[in-house]
Amino acid sequence: MTLYDVFKKMGFELPLEVDNNDVSGSLKCFFDKYYNQLTSLSSFGHESGGVHYANDLALPHVVYEFSESLISIISQSTPDNFDVSYNSFLQNPQLKIVLAYLKNVSHQVKTIPIGASFYRVRLIKENEKPFGREGVFHKPFEMIESVGNYRYSIKRVPALYLSNSVFLALEETRQETRLDEPPYAVARFETKKVIKVINVDYSYYLYHRFEEVMQRQTEVILFLGMILPIVAACAIKLPKEHKYIDFKKEYIIPQLLMRFIQEYRNEYQAIRFYSSRIDLGDSLQHKDQYNLVLPTKVTSSIGYDDNLRKLFNMTDVVNIQGDDNPIEVEQKLEQMNAYEIDF
């Protein structure tokens, strides 16, 4: 068994279910299991034998320290000490190691290429006016008071959530409604610049076997070993009883990561993540579908983030019914011209 086999075995346990409303305890059980799997390995290389051994890389120890630090941040976080939690997160030495190794992995892991298509869906409420293109972009700055806490959303900081398929965009939007009930507005976004991401999409790591790992490049082996704790901390399933709680510990690490992206937006523009609404074990046909979230930087009392407008072109909005075929909707949007976001 190799490190990659361990990663796959643990990855299929995501999104993580919370036992007895204990987020920290559930995460610790997952991390302890991962640590025990790592310590059982004699080599982190290919099945034919590797040169990187546990004693040389000290990977299990570093993973343990990283995992414990994430649990400590979650345990100590309160609604009133977000800045304190962020400083602890930012100063974490293991996080710095992960980000350093991220620079050495292939571009497919850490970038979105020019010309990639993404979709955003908005629910059209009863008696609501039809959406223009701006209605399917992020919330304007004059509405920041209505921006609440979501998995990757920080209160009063608008964010642009996108999915790389219409199917997934609908799944994320419908929440508790049935797909055949309300109408929706949907638009296609097309990247016009390379977008640099922090990739916590565990389906990507599970289904793309890296050639660098096969060649036993130390930096990539360490990156794969160390990225799993933060991936897991960003993939905790929200229990139904937590839905209406304003402060959700499941969202602490994703929001801290979002704050990091916002602060270091010259280095990273987005987080790539898999949907906690889709169970990989039951829905392998959706393994290549993922979400992208981009924070705004509030620089004005009205309007939209100029940097985000420059990253994408956008089609006109199409209104659809929830039971429309997502693939056919996607094909229709692909035929439409995506042009400059000028509102």
Side-chain angles (χ1 to χ4, degrees):
M1 181 179 285
T2 67
L3 170 65
Y4 193 74
D5 296 322
V6 171
F7 192 101
K8 286 173 66 176
K9 183 176 180 180
M10 297 303 300
F12 274 111
E13 296 189 14
L14 301 175
L16 191 64
E17 301 278 355
V18 174
D19 294 326
N20 300 319
N21 295 330
D22 184 1
V23 174
S24 298
S26 299
L27 204 54
K28 180 168 177 54
C29 287
F30 179 89
F31 289 155
D32 285 349
K33 186 175 180 181
Y34 181 45
Y35 172 76
N36 291 333
Q37 293 277 346
L38 289 178
T39 55
S40 70
L41 295 177
S42 60
S43 167
F44 296 134
H46 186 255
E47 287 88 343
S48 60
V51 295
H52 303 301
Y53 292 88
N55 290 337
D56 297 325
L57 295 182
L59 179 62
H61 174 73
V62 178
V63 165
Y64 177 82
E65 293 292 327
F66 191 25
S67 303
E68 288 294 307
S69 68
L70 294 178
I71 291 171
S72 176
I73 289 172
I74 292 172
S75 300
Q76 296 175 25
S77 293
T78 70
D80 301 319
N81 71 347
F82 186 83
D83 288 340
V84 174
S85 297
Y86 178 67
N87 288 332
S88 297
F89 182 74
L90 192 63
Q91 298 304 317
N92 188 298
Q94 288 80 28
L95 176 66
K96 295 178 180 179
I97 293 172
V98 172
L99 295 174
Y101 289 139
L102 179 60
K103 298 181 186 300
N104 296 306
V105 298
S106 62
H107 288 292
Q108 291 89 341
V109 180
K110 59 187 179 183
T111 60
I112 305 296
I114 295 172
S117 288
F118 291 89
Y119 307 89
R120 180 162 165 80
V121 169
R122 285 283 309 277
L123 170 68
I124 302 175
K125 298 177 182 178
E126 190 175 356
N127 300 322
E128 194 167 29
K129 293 181 180 179
F131 289 119
R133 292 201 308 160
E134 63 275 11
V136 188
F137 204 51
H138 70 73
K139 279 192 176 182
F141 294 143
E142 58 265 31
M143 294 179 63
I144 62 172
E145 294 299 332
S146 66
V147 178
N149 285 313
Y150 300 97
R151 187 172 297 273
Y152 289 94
S153 289
I154 304 166
K155 198 168 185 178
R156 302 184 75 253
V157 180
L160 178 62
Y161 282 83
L162 301 171
S163 302
N164 75 334
S165 75
V166 171
F167 168 82
L168 185 55
L170 281 167
E171 284 292 303
E172 295 290 356
T173 304
R174 71 186 180 90
Q175 297 184 9
E176 298 302 317
T177 64
R178 294 202 344 251
L179 285 177
D180 58 353
E181 286 182 350
Y184 298 90
V186 57
R188 180 174 67 86
F189 291 72
E190 186 176 289
T191 55
K192 58 181 183 180
K193 293 183 178 181
V194 172
I195 297 176
K196 292 177 283 188
V197 304
I198 291 183
N199 189 344
V200 294
D201 171 12
Y202 51 90
S203 73
Y204 180 88
Y205 296 113
L206 289 176
Y207 291 106
H208 294 77
R209 185 148 191 149
F210 301 107
E211 291 183 3
E212 300 102 319
V213 175
M214 306 300 284
Q215 296 166 3
R216 308 175 203 140
Q217 292 185 8
T218 306
E219 294 86 355
V220 179
I221 292 172
L222 283 172
F223 171 75
L224 283 176
M226 290 190 61
I227 193 67
L228 186 59
I230 200 163
V231 168
C234 289
I236 304 172
K237 212 164 194 175
L238 186 69
K240 290 181 179 179
E241 55 268 30
H242 287 196
K243 180 178 179 181
Y244 300 105
I245 298 174
D246 189 47
F247 179 68
K248 301 176 177 67
K249 286 187 175 288
E250 295 89 342
Y251 292 175
I252 291 170
I253 300 302
Q255 289 181 357
L256 294 176
L257 192 60
M258 190 69 157
R259 171 76 172 271
F260 176 84
I261 294 283
Q262 184 189 35
E263 185 172 341
Y264 292 91
R265 65 188 306 178
N266 289 334
E267 296 183 47
Y268 308 98
Q269 289 84 47
I271 299 170
R272 171 177 170 165
F273 66 101
Y274 194 72
S275 175
S276 63
R277 300 181 183 280
I278 299 177
D279 187 340
L280 268 180
D282 297 331
S283 306
L284 297 184
Q285 69 268 30
H286 304 310
K287 63 184 174 64
D288 292 322
Q289 300 183 23
Y290 63 90
N291 295 313
L292 207 64
V293 59
L294 303 93
T296 62
K297 187 170 184 179
V298 181
T299 57
S300 171
S301 59
I302 60 172
Y304 301 90
D305 187 300
D306 192 48
N307 285 321
L308 294 191
R309 288 188 293 190
K310 291 176 181 177
L311 287 178
F312 298 95
N313 287 323
M314 181 182 177
T315 66
D316 288 324
V317 173
V318 172
N319 292 339
I320 64 172
Q321 297 299 314
D323 56 356
D324 286 348
N325 186 314
I327 295 176
E328 292 178 359
V329 173
E330 226 170 271
Q331 291 171 342
K332 179 178 181 178
L333 288 166
E334 287 292 338
Q335 302 284 327
M336 296 173 60
N337 180 49
Y339 57 97
E340 184 179 2
I341 300 174
D342 52 5
F343 45 79

